[in-house]
Structure formats: structure tokens, C-alpha cells
Amino acid sequence: MGQLCGGEKVPETERFLRANDRPFNLSYQYADNAIKTSKYNFFNFLPLNLFEQLQRLANAYFFCLLILQVIPAISSLSWFTTVVPLMLVLSMTAIKDANDDINRHKSDRQVNNRKVDVLINGEMSSEKWMNVQVGDIIKLENNQFVTADLLLLSSSEPLNLIYIETAELDGETNLKVRQALTVTGEMGNSIEALANFNGEVRCEPPNNHLDKFKGTLTLNGEAYSLDNDKILLRGCTLRNTGWCYGLVVFGGPDTKLMQNCGKTTFKRTSIDHLMNVLVLCIFGFLASMCTILAIGNAIWEVQEGSVFTAFLPRPDDISAGFSAFLSFWSYVIILNTVVPISLYVSVEIIRLGNSFYIDWDRKMYYPKNDTAAQARTTTLNEELGQIKYIFSDKTGTLTQNIMTFNKCSINGTSYGELFDFSRQRVEITEKTEKVDFSWNKLADPKFVFHDHSLVEAVRGGNLEAQAFFRLLALCHTVMSEEKKEGELSYQAQSPDEGALVTAARNFGFVFRSRTPETIVAMEMGKEVTYDLLAVLDFNNVRKRMSVIVRNPEGKLTLYCKGADTIIYERLHPSCSKLKELTTSHLNEYAGDGLRTLVLAYKDLDNAYVEDWERRHHEASTAMDGREEMLDELYEEIEKDLMLLGSSAVEDKLQDGVPQTIEQLAKADIKIWVLTGDKQETAENIGYSCNLLREKMNDVFIVAANTPQEVKEELENARRKMCPDAPDQPHVVTSRAGLFWRNKQQRVEDEPVEGEYALVINGHSLVEGEYALVINGHSLAYALQKDLEVELLRTACMCQTVICCRVTPLQKAQVVELVKKYKQAVTLAIGDGANDVSMIKAAHIGVGISGQEGMQAVLSSDFSLAQFRYLQRLLLVHGRWSYLRMCNFLRYFFYKNFTFTFVHFWYAFFCGFSAQTVYDEWFITLYNLVYTALPVLGMSLFDQDVNDRWSFQYPQLYVPGQLNLYFSKKAFVRCMMHSAYSSLVLFFIPWATMCDTVRDDGKDIVDYQSFALLAQTCLLIAVSIQLCLDTHYWTALNQFFVWGSLSAYFAITFTMYSNGMFFIFTSTFPFIGTAANSLNQPNVWLTILLTSTLCALPVVAYRFVLIQLSPTINDKVRYKVQREAIPAPAPRRIPVRRISTRRSGYAFSHTQGYGELVTSSRFLMRRPQKSRPALFTHTDSPLAQSQPQHYRTIAEEHEEPAQST
């Protein structure tokens, strides 16, 4: 009732819905299928955006100042001097925010307006996604996106199967299998049966668990259990399936995909946060100065003011105290230049300019798919120069999602590498000659190989080479589809298998088709049909699979492939010499980061196989101990194998990934890999891209299943790295934020001796290398409140952290954990929808324009085409942006504090009357004209060293992480410098002008002459300081500096001329001051003296500092002066490293496919009108709805441009 009356919505505890009954489902007010990722709408944009902008303390301050300026008794400046720049700043930011949100609205509309077939009133009609409701039945066709979270009802495939790609959810591109209930599958595609379907579903409420679903379907009084394998999640894509029907369970914001998407937040840089604190301090300082001057005014009015009443009569109702009160507010307005609004205008311009540099950088342009880098937000550029932790997705970000057959070892000979005449390795590039497979009409045209000797061996009749590829063509669970003669496409359970079968296909051994009892292959152009007697299936313990086949001559053979350690234990003793050769090749392949398998065979006796088959049938039908009996039979027959060789498959990394990671590591940036992929796959990629290294002291694997076990594994790892570490971490508590309201806790780093890796994090105080690997189940426990600090503590001791099988929400939680306890700037990079929450949670989100769609890019702050461009984004653009912003802020505060302090000193000589020391026009134009362009020129074009030197010395990035360029200490030094300069700029002109006459004997001393001299000294002194702060001079910098000084003198002489006085007498009172003062030598000598005294201490201090304690920047700049520009690093052939670690077998494999491919029901296509009996084996993995993994090889090898 509360919901119907508009009250607060009660949280769901259970979802109950009825198929084909919209009125019933609408009564529960479930969310429809429309999504919203935007922040604003037409009505709330203005108030909400203004509210967000006024959270920036300076904007709120200027708003209050504007109110003060409309009070005539207080203000000595016009109100529009504040309202115009304030409106400019607010408008610029609002337009930018509106543009960003309009793009989000466009994305939402594009998704919400997609069409799908919905069953309404017994008829199929095309509806927009946003109009789909919970309880609707919808029809999906091949390659369509899944509209909402659906309960699968029926499909066009045998056994009610469908194939889906879940790359948007977990980053995996393997096809997975889902299976409908038998009772719903019988409806097929009968519209009448589907329209009459009135099943009721009770299930869990909306949540973010991608791998769990609990519910029941009640139909005709019978209840059927529902689990995750009956559910299609929004974000998946239907593949290799003609059609399927599904019942909408969750829609729009309730879908698991949207539940995992983090909330869009208003991101601000650490400099913004620091500026808020500094502005607060400046307000306090301003109030103190105004209070001092107000007290001085009260004292002066009592002691001296009465003398002047004859000349300056006071109103009767104004006492000395009230005069001091008014003086206080007048000085608030006059001294407000300590935080000028032009500061924020300049900041926005600088950020915008640096964003354009990113957009225009040709060195971050990827021509293969015509994609340039893009700064999607203009407010976070300088944050790129302070990154300490990078959280990266694996699939599509570090890798290309492409598996390729790279090398192999056959009968002791290694193939796949090229050598010159001196037997030196030759690097394989795009220009290297490729093997011509035109002799094989069934070859895959996308397959690439460069070693011609392997083709010659196969075509020359080398029996071992032919047996090698025959094994690859027969020993697998791949399904083949031939739509046209010669056009084969493979559905592979794992990408490894797809790559191996495709390799055999190109080398003349083509897997053509299969039935439950046979395999048809083309061997060197001749069709051969093998009888398939048994498939000895893969599982995680066996780490191998075998097939038993009979060739047309009646010869029985067992073919086996698997992990090297497993196969070696089962080899015949006669293979010992070949085993040594193969092992050396395996070590080389593993050193290159390749995924290896060992291949072996065994000839079998007919009588033995008949007896073994009988015992196998008995074991497979046994009620008790079935698995143990089958394992014993497999062990019995898989022994005394004859070694054929080994294969090496490359999970192709994106170009430049290892080099990028190496550069970022030199910059002391920690990289954590957060992936939804399996542990073994993630480890393999870790070794390939040098995140994990053989020389590491240890790699810790955390794979426990209870909180207590997780805690013990983390503690054991920590004690091994640092035996003397205390049981409790060193947590530093501090206050931060505006008014110091936020309580912060920071976990201190702990020193470690040795090298370790945790498949979880890495750190600088480690005197060695360690790595941590943690899986999703363990991570879920480790992220609990009582274990999160232990997790972070152990992880931060390691050089590398890899988190496997993590959900999108867990990715965000890991990022939040580091943000909470390390107070370091974080960056998240990914390419799929499963990375969106992580990208939103990090300080900086980077989206890769990859194969997994554009969701990550649309939610990101910056987008790149390749991971390798990240090093340029950070080490060049990020570092320059941070350096420029810090230089700008230091200089801006210096010039404005100096400007303001001169006012403060002058107050003691003007009776604290709030008179300005400068001409009012100078005050107006100081920040807008005279000093605006020079400081913008420095802030947009300055660089300490060029981009090549930045790459040569990544250590230049470290000062940004430590906030060395601009901090509270730097701000205090800036204030002290300003105080000294203001003393020089006020008292030296005052002393030189006091009791001074012109060279013609006339008096030069008056307020106007002193004001002109003081402002001229100030402008020249701050211009010299800007020249000292500029490292990189361009023609524009020169023009801005000299042009601004020229403009000052031109404007001054114009405004102080007789003509301007006669036209606007009250506006330009300084008639003739410039001409009378600036023609005197003592004025110019005073300007020279003040400029020298302001600049000399700065030059001396910097000279001594460079001699005694040079920074990394000083050292590199010195090196730049002495050496030529470093040439771009040449492409070097990777150094061969030998590894004793080799990958396990077929990581994406799932147990149960052996029985599936030999099922007589599996290969039967569904008739369009009638359906065959369903598969009834209760021991089938499909009947048990275990996760299944498939992949279409035909879609795998796209052009390289599409594999970013």
C-alpha cells in the first residue's frame, strides 16, 4: 500500500512473477528494462550542477563575496568585477558537464531503443528494450544481445542447449553453454504453447552475484529447481544458436550487469582536494589580516582620526568601533586577491589545453582501427602524473583474445623459429615471409606460420610429423560446421584446442566432421574415417585427455595430450633420450611465455581393448565408486606411451605490453591484475608480460575456501616475507578533508627481504621480489572487514598481485580497499562491461577501445586503443600536466600574495582606511591582462625534459607520487617568498620616493607617483620570477612575456594621458603621472634595485640546492645539456630465457565433454516443428547443468586491428 501511495519502496526479499501476466507483475512495481547511466535531466541539471560546483570552496567564497559587494557601505569595488568571472567559471564547467552527460544520455537511448521480439497477447511483436517488462517472454536470435536477465525456456539446439559469449560480464571469450529445463524445452518455438505458458517463478531478489542464482519454477503444480545455468544474463551475446525463448526475471537496473556497475561519482583530483584545504587556510589568514587592520583602524580613529575630522567629517552615528567593523569588510574585498577567481578560470583553461594535447598526440593514435587517444574529461589531467597503483583487466587489455599455434617440438626437432646462416635467431616481424598453404584447399587463410621446414617435413613424408598433426586432428572435443564446401568453422571448448586443431588443419590433417562413433579427417588430401571407441575425458586432476580410435586398416591407437609432468610419468622407458630433448624445448617455450602441451600415443591390442571396453562400460554404469573405477581404468590404459613431441600456443599479448609494464615498474607504479579468468590462465599471462618472473623468491597462491584458511594463508605468506613483522599492522590515523572532518587510516609499508609474488600486489620497500595470486572465492573472504587489512598488508609486500575469478563488484572493492588504506592515487584500465565498476571506483578510469564493446570507454575518463599507450599517457602527458599545474599554482600564489601583501603594508601608512595602494585600473587588469597570458604560456608549453628523456628516465615520475611539486609545505614556502618580495616591493620604493624631488627641482612625492612606481616594480619582479620558473622557452612564451609588459606600458600611458582625463574625468584621475615619473633616472634605478633584490635570493637558493642536493629532474636536465637527444629504443629480439615452469593443459577446459560428444543425441539438429526425446543421462554434466565452455574459431582470427 505504501508503494502504491508513493511511499518509500520496501526492499525486496524475494521476487515472485508469473509468465504472460503483465497486470499481476506490475502490481509489484518491478523495474522495467530501461537503464539510466546519466547524472542529470532537463529539470535538475541547473540546481544539481550548481550544488556540485559550489562544493568547491572557492566558488562558494566568491559567491559570498558577490553578496558583500552589493552593500554600498562596505564595497569599494563594483559588483560586476566578481559576478562576470564567477559566471564565466560556472558556465564553462556547466557546459562541459552537460556535454559529458548528453553523451551518456545518447548511449542510454541507443541501448534502450534496441528492438527485440516480445510475446504479447499471443503474438510476437517487435518492441523497444525499454518497454520490456518482468514476466514477458522474448525471442532472441543468433548474435543478438541478451535483453534482460532471462530464464531460458527453449532453444533451436539439441538438448535445449544454447551457446553464449560472456565477454561483457567476465572478460572470457570462450563460448559457454546454458540448458533449459526439459519441461519448458518441450514448447520449442510453438507460439501457442509459449502464449499459454503460465509458470510462476520465485527467486532471489536483485543482486550482483554473477555466478549464483537460486529459484524455483512452479508449473502445473510441480516445482522445478532453477540455478545459474538456466539463466541468461544481460550483457551476454547469443552465439551459434538459431533462436531461443526466455522469460524476463530481472529488468534494467535490477539486472546483474547493472547491479555490478558502480555509481557515477563526481571525481576531483588530489590537487583539488588540497586546494580546498589551502583555500580554507587562506580564508583564515585573510580574516586574520583583516582583523589586524580593523583593530589598527579603530586605534587610529581614536588616536589620530579626530585631527582629520575638520577635513574629513564623520557621520555622527559612526563610532571608531563601527568604523573598524566596516573597515574589516572593506579589507575583505580589497585583499580578496589572495584567492582570485581568475585562478580557477586559468586552471580550467590549462586542463582543457592539456586534454587537447592528449587528443592530438599522434604517437597514441592506432592506425589499424583508426582510433586516437581521447581525454573524455578535462578535470583530471594532472592526476595522471601521480598514479601509484594501476588495476588492470587481463582479457582484451593485456591480451588480444587471440590464441595462435606458435612453435612445436616433434621427435626432438624444434620448429617455429627462424635462423640465419650463422645459426643466430632471426626476429619474426610482419615483413617476414609466411608459409604458403595454397596447396591445402581446406587451410584456414587466417593461419600464419613462418618456419617452412615444418611444411617440408609433413609434405615430405616425415612419419613423426604426420603422426603429430594426426593426433591434434583426432584428440579433441571440437565440433565442426561446414556450411559450404571447404568453409569450415570450429566450435572449440577452449581457445587452446581451437588453435591446435586449426594448426593441424593447415598442415594437411583437417578435422572435417564427427559423429558419436566416428571422426572424419582429411589427411594430405585423402579422406579418412576413424572409429571413435572412447574419449578419456579431461579433468583438473588428470590434466590430460585421450581418445581411442581405429583407423580404416583396423589398427587401434590411443592418442593422448596433456601437461608435461603428467605425460612424462606415463612414458615408455625407451623415450628417455627424446624426453630430454623435448624437455629442453619445453623450457625454451615456457621461457617465451607460451602455453605448452606434450603429445604421446600408444598402439593397442584388439583383444585388450575389447576387454577394457567391457570393464569401462561396467564402471560407467556402476552406482557406487563410479569415478574411482573410471580413474583406475584410465590409469591402466594410459601408460607406456610413446612420446611424439610438444606444442606451444601463444596467448597473444597486445603489442608492447611487457615493455610498458617494465617502464611503469621503473616509475614505481604498482600493477595489480584483476581478471575474471582462471588462475592458470592469469598466471600464464603474468609470466608472459613479466609481471611474474622465474627469479622471484616465491609466488603465493591463495585459494582457500573458508575465512580462517584465507587468513592463515595470508599470514603464512607475510611471515615468510618478513619473519620479524608484528602481528598487528602499523596503521596511522590522521584527519583530512575540508575542516578536517574525514578520519583517514593508512597502513604503513613493511620492508621485506627477497623476491615474492602474490596472485594479489607489489611494493617498493621490498628487498626482493614476491607475487600473490588469489582467486575469487578467497578474495570474497579476504575483503571482509576483519580480513581486509591483512589482505592489503600482505599484498603490499609483494611486487605483483593477480586476482583471479573476480566479479566486477570485487574489482571495485579491491580498488576501494587500496584507496581507503594507502591514500594513493589509483588508475583502473579495462575494455569490457565487467570493468565498468572498477573504472568508476578508481581516481582515474581508462577504457580500452577493444573487442568487448564500448561500455568501458563510455564510463572512462580517458580512452586508449592499446595498453602500450598507457606509458605515454602517464610518463609524458600525466607528468607534464602535473608539473605544469604545480608550477602554475606556485607562481600564481606567489604573484597574488605579493600583490596583496603590498596592500597590507600600505595600510599602516594610510590610516587603515582601506585605500588601495595601486591604481584601480591596475587592480582590474593585473590578473586579467598583465599576468594572464605569460602564466598560461608557461602552464601550457613548459616541460622540464622532452618526451624521449621522459621515457629514458621513468624515475622522473616518482616526485609526482610523493607530491613534491606542490604541497602544504610548498605553499608555506611560497607565502614566505611572497612576504619577502612584498617587503622589498613596498619599502624600497617608499624609501626612495620619500622626500625626493625631480631633477628639475619639483616635488615627485605624491600618492599617484608612488602607486605607479610600486605597481611597475611589482609587474617587472613577477615577470622575472616567471622567467626563472620557465624551463622550456617557445616563441609564444617570449611573445606573451614581452607583449604583456609592452601592453602594461602602452595602457598605462594611454590611461594616464590628458585625453582620457578630459573624456572620463572621474574614471581616469592619474593625469600625467606616467610621463612625469617614468622619465626620472631614480625611478628606473629603483625598479632595477627591487627586481634584483627579488630575484637574487631565488637564484642563489636554487644554485646552492642544485650543488648540494640535486633532484632527479636537475640531474636529467644536466645530462640533457651534455648529451644528444636519445634515439627511440630499437626493436630488439627478446632474450631467450629458460624456464622450468610450464603451463597446465587447456585451462578453459571443463570436464564432461567426452561423454557429450559421444552422445547419440548431441549431434541431432532439432526439427522445426517436433522435438526428439531429451537426453536423460543423469550423470551427464549437462544434465547436472555444469558450466560449459565453447568458442567459435572462425571468429577468433580477425584482422589485428580488431583485436585491440
Side-chain angles (χ1 to χ4, degrees):
M1 188 66 182
Q3 294 181 33
L4 295 174
C5 296
E8 184 178 349
K9 186 176 179 180
V10 179
E12 278 188 66
T13 56
E14 180 185 66
R15 174 148 296 197
F16 179 51
L17 61 104
R18 183 180 299 155
N20 292 316
D21 193 343
R22 278 195 172 188
F24 175 82
N25 299 320
L26 286 172
S27 67
Y28 288 92
Q29 294 189 338
Y30 295 138
D32 59 23
N33 201 42
I35 63 165
K36 177 188 174 186
T37 60
S38 55
K39 292 167 60 177
Y40 312 110
N41 59 39
F42 180 80
F43 298 102
N44 70 10
F45 171 74
L46 196 59
L48 189 57
N49 188 261
L50 279 175
F51 174 75
E52 287 180 344
Q53 291 200 60
L54 290 176
Q55 286 183 319
R56 181 181 280 176
L57 193 58
N59 287 344
Y61 162 67
F62 289 119
F63 186 74
C64 295
L65 195 66
L66 176 63
I67 296 173
L68 286 177
Q69 283 190 288
V70 299
I71 303 174
I74 294 175
S75 177
S76 56
L77 296 173
S78 301
W79 62 271
F80 56 79
T81 58
T82 297
V83 75
V84 172
L86 179 61
M87 290 299 295
L88 183 64
V89 171
L90 297 178
S91 300
M92 284 177 59
T93 307
I95 290 171
K96 178 182 61 63
D97 291 343
N99 182 63
D100 292 344
D101 209 57
I102 286 170
N103 290 332
R104 285 190 284 266
H105 274 285
K106 288 179 180 177
S107 172
D108 290 347
R109 281 198 299 270
Q110 181 185 1
V111 173
N112 289 333
N113 290 329
R114 288 175 180 166
K115 293 297 186 70
V116 68
D117 290 334
V118 184
L119 183 60
I120 300 177
N121 298 325
E123 294 182 355
M124 299 301 300
S125 63
S126 181
E127 295 284 339
K128 294 179 180 179
W129 278 26
M130 60 191 296
N131 296 329
V132 172
Q133 300 286 342
V134 170
D136 288 350
I137 292 178
I138 65 174
K139 179 183 180 181
L140 298 176
E141 296 183 343
N142 194 32
N143 296 325
Q144 271 192 318
F145 291 106
V146 177
T147 310
D149 289 357
L150 310 175
L151 168 64
L152 180 61
L153 298 179
S154 63
S155 83
S156 60
E157 301 304 296
L159 305 177
N160 304 316
L161 299 175
I162 65 163
Y163 305 100
I164 56 171
E165 184 181 275
T166 61
E168 293 286 0
L169 294 174
D170 56 20
E172 292 190 7
T173 52
N174 309 326
L175 296 190
K176 298 180 175 63
V177 174
R178 295 291 183 263
Q179 185 179 30
L181 291 167
T182 303
V183 67
T184 60
E186 292 173 346
M187 293 186 293
N189 63 344
S190 169
I191 301 300
E192 182 181 355
L194 290 164
N196 292 327
F197 178 69
N198 62 352
E200 294 181 347
V201 174
R202 288 186 183 273
C203 64
E204 60 191 17
N207 59 71
N208 52 38
H209 302 301
L210 293 174
D211 56 347
K212 294 179 181 177
F213 183 84
K214 293 181 180 179
T216 57
L217 170 67
T218 304
L219 182 64
N220 300 327
E222 294 288 332
Y224 302 89
S225 176
L226 302 177
D227 57 24
N228 203 50
D229 295 308
K230 312 280 190 303
I231 300 297
L232 307 184
L233 299 183
R234 180 175 179 141
C236 299
T237 307
L238 194 66
R239 299 291 191 200
N240 300 328
T241 304
W243 50 261
C244 75
Y245 288 89
L247 173 67
V248 177
V249 179
F250 299 121
D254 291 343
T255 59
K256 291 182 182 285
L257 174 66
M258 297 304 295
Q259 291 279 315
N260 272 282
C261 288
K263 187 179 179 182
T264 301
T265 56
F266 181 62
K267 293 185 178 181
R268 292 204 297 255
T269 66
S270 55
I271 284 185
D272 275 337
H273 291 294
L274 176 60
M275 284 288 293
N276 267 357
V277 175
L278 292 181
V279 167
L280 188 65
C281 295
I282 291 170
F283 290 163
F285 183 68
L286 175 62
S288 302
M289 287 197 298
C290 294
T291 302
I292 292 171
L293 298 180
I295 294 171
N297 177 268
I299 296 171
W300 189 89
E301 286 289 348
V302 171
Q303 295 182 355
E304 307 287 342
S306 58
V307 179
F308 291 88
T309 53
F311 307 100
L312 298 172
R314 272 194 316 230
D316 296 334
D317 57 340
I318 295 184
S319 63
F322 189 68
S323 175
F325 175 77
L326 294 178
S327 177
F328 175 87
W329 293 109
S330 296
Y331 272 113
V332 167
I333 295 173
I334 289 175
L335 302 181
N336 79 80
T337 47
V338 286
V339 190
I341 198 164
S342 59
L343 169 68
Y344 292 94
V345 178
S346 301
V347 165
E348 293 300 326
I349 293 173
I350 293 166
R351 286 172 171 169
L352 184 64
N354 286 318
S355 297
F356 282 137
Y357 291 152
I358 294 172
D359 295 343
W360 295 338
D361 193 341
R362 293 184 179 181
K363 293 181 180 178
M364 293 199 295
Y365 170 72
Y366 191 55
K368 290 186 178 180
N369 62 356
D370 189 28
T371 304
Q374 183 183 10
R376 295 176 51 81
T377 179
T378 59
T379 58
L380 302 173
N381 300 321
E382 65 269 17
E383 198 93 314
L384 291 170
Q386 299 180 275
I387 302 299
K388 184 67 177 178
Y389 289 89
I390 292 177
F391 301 92
S392 175
D393 179 39
K394 180 192 74 69
T395 309
T397 304
L398 301 178
T399 66
Q400 297 184 29
N401 290 348
I402 296 175
M403 293 282 186
T404 57
F405 180 81
N406 195 288
K407 297 172 186 175
C408 63
S409 171
I410 302 175
N411 197 32
T413 303
S414 180
Y415 298 95
E417 292 184 324
L418 300 183
F419 299 90
D420 57 19
F421 293 110
S422 60
R423 299 301 297 167
Q424 296 294 316
R425 288 178 67 200
V426 176
E427 183 183 12
I428 295 175
T429 65
E430 292 182 0
K431 297 181 180 179
T432 306
E433 182 184 3
K434 301 172 184 176
V435 172
D436 181 11
F437 290 106
S438 60
W439 55 271
N440 182 359
K441 294 181 179 180
L442 293 175
D444 184 346
K446 297 173 185 174
F447 181 82
V448 176
F449 203 74
H450 297 90
D451 189 352
H452 294 262
S453 63
L454 182 55
V455 177
E456 293 168 1
V458 175
R459 299 188 70 187
N462 185 310
L463 296 179
E464 289 82 5
Q466 292 186 353
F468 181 91
F469 287 109
R470 183 179 292 113
L471 186 153
L472 294 181
L474 298 176
C475 184
H476 56 78
T477 56
V478 172
M479 304 301 296
S480 172
E481 186 175 7
E482 190 168 0
K483 296 180 179 178
K484 295 182 182 178
E485 181 68 24
E487 291 186 12
L488 288 169
S489 68
Y490 292 145
Q491 293 178 11
Q493 175 195 352
S494 74
D496 307 65
E497 277 209 324
L500 294 174
V501 175
T502 302
R505 168 184 175 180
N506 277 63
F507 283 98
F509 288 78
V510 185
F511 165 62
R512 196 71 180 267
S513 63
R514 77 185 321 141
T515 70
E517 295 84 19
T518 63
I519 296 178
V520 179
M522 294 289 289
E523 296 186 354
M524 305 306 291
K526 179 183 176 183
E527 184 171 293
V528 181
T529 301
Y530 290 87
D531 293 331
L532 179 60
L533 303 184
V535 175
L536 283 60
D537 204 5
F538 165 90
N539 65 34
N540 287 322
V541 177
R542 284 169 44 75
K543 294 187 178 179
R544 65 190 185 278
M545 78 162 289
S546 303
V547 295
I548 301 174
V549 296
R550 178 185 288 115
N551 67 10
E553 289 77 34
K555 181 180 179 183
L556 287 169
T557 308
L558 178 143
Y559 291 110
C560 182
K561 64 180 182 183
D564 53 304
T565 52
I566 301 297
I567 302 296
Y568 280 175
E569 295 173 357
R570 290 157 178 80
L571 292 179
H572 192 275
S574 63
C575 298
S576 56
K577 188 173 182 180
L578 178 57
K579 176 181 170 182
E580 292 178 6
L581 286 171
T582 304
T583 301
S584 67
H585 293 155
L586 283 170
N587 291 337
E588 292 176 2
Y589 301 158
D592 291 335
L594 304 178
R595 300 162 68 129
T596 57
L597 291 176
V598 170
L599 282 61
Y601 75 98
K602 177 183 180 181
D603 292 327
L604 300 173
D605 178 68
N606 276 303
Y608 172 75
V609 171
E610 288 178 4
D611 177 62
W612 186 89
E613 276 190 300
R614 177 185 55 78
R615 289 183 287 138
H616 179 268
H617 178 72
E618 292 174 356
S620 61
T621 55
M623 297 301 294
D624 299 320
R626 179 187 305 166
E627 294 297 328
E628 292 77 7
M629 295 169 67
L630 287 174
D631 284 341
E632 289 179 9
L633 284 170
Y634 292 167
E635 288 288 338
E636 175 190 320
I637 200 168
E638 291 174 326
K639 62 183 181 181
D640 293 334
L641 303 175
M642 303 302 294
L643 182 61
L644 273 176
S646 65
S647 65
V649 172
E650 181 182 9
D651 188 356
K652 289 185 74 68
L653 293 174
Q654 288 192 12
D655 295 338
V657 166
Q659 295 85 348
T660 300
I661 289 174
E662 181 182 358
Q663 284 286 88
L664 296 176
K666 288 179 181 177
D668 200 27
I669 298 174
K670 315 303 175 190
I671 301 179
W672 296 28
V673 176
L674 311 178
T675 177
D677 225 333
K678 294 198 174 189
Q679 175 187 315
E680 297 90 342
T681 311
E683 280 187 73
N684 242 15
I685 294 301
Y687 282 100
S688 298
C689 57
N690 291 332
L691 282 169
L692 301 178
R693 293 174 290 279
E694 289 289 326
K695 65 177 183 179
M696 282 183 162
N697 297 51
D698 206 345
V699 177
F700 300 111
I701 309 293
V702 179
N705 293 316
T706 66
Q708 186 59 36
E709 290 174 355
V710 170
K711 183 178 181 181
E712 289 176 2
E713 291 188 11
L714 290 172
E715 287 178 346
N716 291 338
R718 175 169 54 79
R719 291 193 183 103
K720 183 170 184 179
M721 290 186 284
C722 188
D724 300 329
D727 291 336
Q728 297 300 319
H730 183 205
V731 180
V732 177
T733 303
S734 60
R735 292 281 178 178
L738 197 58
F739 302 108
W740 292 268
R741 292 174 301 176
N742 301 333
K743 184 179 179 181
Q744 289 184 341
Q745 290 183 310
R746 180 162 52 89
V747 177
E748 290 291 294
D749 302 327
E750 299 175 57
V752 180
E753 295 182 2
E755 288 191 355
Y756 297 84
L758 179 67
V759 176
I760 248 176
N761 180 20
H763 222 275
S764 55
L765 294 181
V766 178
E767 297 181 10
E769 292 190 358
Y770 302 77
L772 171 71
V773 182
I774 188 166
N775 65 26
H777 293 297
S778 300
L779 185 62
Y781 296 125
L783 288 172
Q784 293 175 358
K785 195 165 186 64
D786 55 338
L787 282 181
E788 61 180 10
V789 174
E790 183 66 42
L791 166 66
L792 185 71
R793 187 183 179 192
T794 305
C796 288
M797 291 182 176
C798 298
Q799 291 292 323
T800 298
V801 178
I802 299 177
C803 302
C804 320
R805 281 297 187 205
V806 294
T807 66
L809 185 65
Q810 284 178 329
K811 291 184 178 185
Q813 288 173 334
V814 172
V815 175
E816 293 288 359
L817 178 64
V818 174
K819 285 173 63 179
K820 179 180 178 182
Y821 287 110
K822 302 305 291 186
Q823 276 81 60
V825 181
T826 59
L827 179 147
I829 180 169
D831 72 323
N834 58 317
D835 305 313
V836 168
S837 56
M838 171 177 73
I839 285 172
K840 289 181 177 180
H843 294 97
I844 299 285
V846 178
I848 299 288
S849 307
Q851 292 181 331
E852 295 184 26
M854 295 295 288
Q855 280 84 347
V857 169
L858 292 173
S859 302
S860 67
D861 305 305
F862 300 88
S863 67
L864 303 172
Q866 294 270 283
F867 181 83
R868 69 174 185 268
Y869 297 143
L870 185 62
Q871 62 175 322
R872 185 170 182 84
L873 183 69
L874 300 186
L875 302 185
V876 177
H877 291 285
R879 199 178 68 82
W880 281 351
S881 295
Y882 175 68
L883 182 69
R884 290 164 180 164
M885 184 61 70
C886 293
N887 286 346
F888 165 78
L889 291 173
R890 288 201 307 268
Y891 174 75
F892 208 98
F893 280 125
Y894 165 76
K895 76 181 182 68
N896 279 81
F897 269 108
T898 304
F899 176 91
T900 307
F901 282 155
V902 174
H903 271 304
F904 181 77
W905 307 129
Y906 180 67
F908 292 89
F909 294 84
C910 70
F912 306 96
S913 61
Q915 183 184 17
T916 58
V917 68
Y918 312 116
D919 170 24
E920 285 190 1
W921 281 104
F922 180 79
I923 295 173
T924 304
L925 299 177
Y926 178 70
N927 282 312
L928 293 179
V929 177
Y930 300 147
T931 60
L933 289 179
V935 70
L936 282 178
M938 178 188 72
S939 306
L940 288 174
F941 306 122
D942 198 34
Q943 47 184 263
D944 52 349
V945 294
N946 63 27
D947 55 346
R948 289 189 183 178
W949 286 102
S950 297
F951 280 131
Q952 188 83 1
Y953 294 96
Q955 298 86 350
L956 287 167
Y957 191 83
V958 175
Q961 299 170 330
L962 303 176
N963 288 316
L964 296 183
Y965 293 148
F966 188 74
S967 60
K968 294 173 185 175
K969 289 183 180 179
F971 177 73
V972 171
R973 287 196 297 267
C974 180
M975 285 185 61
M976 294 172 64
H977 183 199
S978 297
Y980 164 77
S981 296
S982 66
L983 287 168
V984 170
L985 290 170
F986 177 77
F987 284 102
I988 288 182
W990 175 79
T992 57
M993 295 289 284
C994 185
D995 300 325
T996 303
V997 295
R998 290 166 47 86
D999 50 10
D1000 58 5
K1002 294 181 181 179
D1003 192 1
I1004 197 175
V1005 181
D1006 58 30
Y1007 163 71
Q1008 293 184 347
S1009 299
F1010 175 73
L1012 176 66
L1013 178 58
Q1015 66 196 35
T1016 305
C1017 291
L1018 170 71
L1019 188 62
I1020 292 177
V1022 297
S1023 296
I1024 292 173
Q1025 181 63 41
L1026 180 129
C1027 295
L1028 293 175
D1029 288 344
T1030 301
H1031 299 104
Y1032 182 72
W1033 283 95
T1034 66
L1036 279 174
N1037 288 84
Q1038 297 275 4
F1039 174 76
F1040 288 159
V1041 172
W1042 296 111
S1044 295
L1045 288 173
S1046 301
Y1048 165 72
F1049 285 108
I1051 292 172
T1052 300
F1053 275 99
T1054 300
M1055 290 195 301
Y1056 294 0
S1057 65
N1058 295 345
M1060 294 299 290
F1061 176 76
F1062 289 133
I1063 298 171
F1064 306 102
T1065 304
S1066 62
T1067 309
F1068 300 101
F1070 279 50
I1071 180 172
T1073 306
N1076 289 332
S1077 297
L1078 295 179
N1079 64 357
Q1080 297 300 303
N1082 62 336
V1083 170
W1084 288 104
L1085 286 172
T1086 302
I1087 293 172
L1088 177 64
L1089 179 61
T1090 53
S1091 301
T1092 303
L1093 288 176
C1094 285
L1096 194 61
V1098 177
V1099 174
Y1101 173 75
R1102 292 183 182 179
F1103 175 79
V1104 172
L1105 200 64
I1106 289 175
Q1107 298 301 317
L1108 300 181
S1109 180
T1111 64
I1112 178 69
N1113 303 65
D1114 297 328
K1115 294 175 183 178
V1116 174
R1117 276 200 299 270
Y1118 178 74
K1119 203 175 185 68
V1120 169
Q1121 295 171 359
R1122 298 175 61 89
E1123 298 182 12
I1125 296 176
R1131 282 184 62 88
R1132 62 182 186 272
I1133 300 176
V1135 179
R1136 163 63 53 79
R1137 64 183 178 89
I1138 303 300
S1139 173
T1140 56
R1141 177 205 155 273
R1142 289 184 287 283
S1143 63
Y1145 159 59
F1147 300 129
S1148 301
H1149 236 300
T1150 303
Q1151 181 179 2
Y1153 275 79
E1155 184 171 3
L1156 179 62
V1157 298
T1158 55
S1159 165
S1160 60
R1161 284 282 188 259
F1162 183 77
L1163 297 170
M1164 294 176 62
R1165 296 294 297 181
R1166 172 193 300 285
Q1168 292 301 309
K1169 295 185 178 179
S1170 61
R1171 299 173 58 85
L1174 295 171
F1175 186 62
T1176 56
H1177 287 192
T1178 56
D1179 56 331
S1180 163
L1182 289 169
Q1184 298 168 9
S1185 296
Q1186 295 178 2
Q1188 310 296 321
H1189 305 271
Y1190 275 75
R1191 183 174 186 167
T1192 304
I1193 301 303
E1195 297 173 356
E1196 182 177 330
H1197 291 284
E1198 298 294 336
E1199 291 298 320
Q1202 300 175 2
S1203 52
T1204 58

